[in-house]
Amino acid sequence: ACQKNTAMSELQTHHAGVTVADLDRAVDFYCDVFGLSVCAEFEVSGEAFETGVDIEEASARFAHLDGGSIRIELVEYNPAGHARPTPQLNAAGATHLGFRVDDLDAFYKELPAAVETLSPPQTTATGTRILFVRDPEDNLVEVLELSG
């Protein structure tokens, strides 16, 4: 079990961030496919931002989406970084977002035809049902239905 570090200030989860090449397209995807809503949109630039993200002459557009218990932060940087290989879950450093639904089969049937999935819904040895989709930027998103 994890032990809480009481010497530090208490941490609270604020957001999970995903860098995208096209913010408008990404916002449309997460709102249309997952039913999320935009709770904030803003732009950031300036010397403190450049220093903080360690990107010379950086600016960025942000959209915060209401993910229930956490905000999903989508960010489009200028200048854009280099393209990366298509994410694979077993690669060191791989990341993904995870959303829980009550009925994975119903969610799967309602997915727009253009949404790429890694497979149809699967039931794991723990009884959890999982489905991975790729967003328009090839980022992986897990949709799961808990057992019991």
Side-chain angles (χ1 to χ4, degrees):
C2 294
Q3 291 185 341
K4 187 173 184 173
N5 182 351
T6 57
M8 295 178 59
S9 297
E10 186 172 334
L11 295 177
Q12 295 182 17
T13 303
H14 182 265
H15 70 269
V18 179
T19 299
V20 297
D22 185 330
L23 184 63
D24 297 326
R25 177 179 66 179
V27 167
D28 288 347
F29 174 84
Y30 284 93
C31 290
D32 293 347
V33 173
F34 296 104
L36 304 182
S37 60
V38 177
C39 50
E41 293 181 284
F42 54 95
E43 295 184 20
V44 179
S45 61
E47 187 177 336
F49 183 68
E50 293 173 30
T51 302
V53 298
D54 194 25
I55 301 170
E56 195 172 309
E57 298 184 26
S59 65
R61 295 175 52 219
F62 292 82
H64 282 194
L65 308 179
D66 183 354
S69 60
I70 190 170
R71 284 184 181 209
I72 306 301
E73 178 182 84
L74 302 176
V75 58
E76 176 186 302
Y77 281 90
N78 183 21
H82 299 290
R84 62 186 168 86
T86 301
Q88 299 295 317
L89 288 167
N90 62 344
T95 60
H96 69 275
L97 296 174
F99 295 112
R100 182 177 52 84
V101 296
D102 292 330
D103 187 338
L104 188 61
D105 290 320
F107 177 85
Y108 179 65
K109 288 176 187 169
E110 294 170 5
L111 277 176
V115 175
E116 179 186 350
T117 65
L118 299 187
S119 74
Q122 302 294 309
T123 303
T124 67
T126 63
T128 299
R129 305 206 59 234
I130 62 171
L131 168 69
F132 278 88
V133 304
R134 290 192 185 276
D135 76 7
E137 309 272 344
D138 276 338
N139 296 302
L140 291 162
V141 182
E142 180 180 13
V143 185
L144 58 97
E145 176 186 333
L146 299 176
S147 62

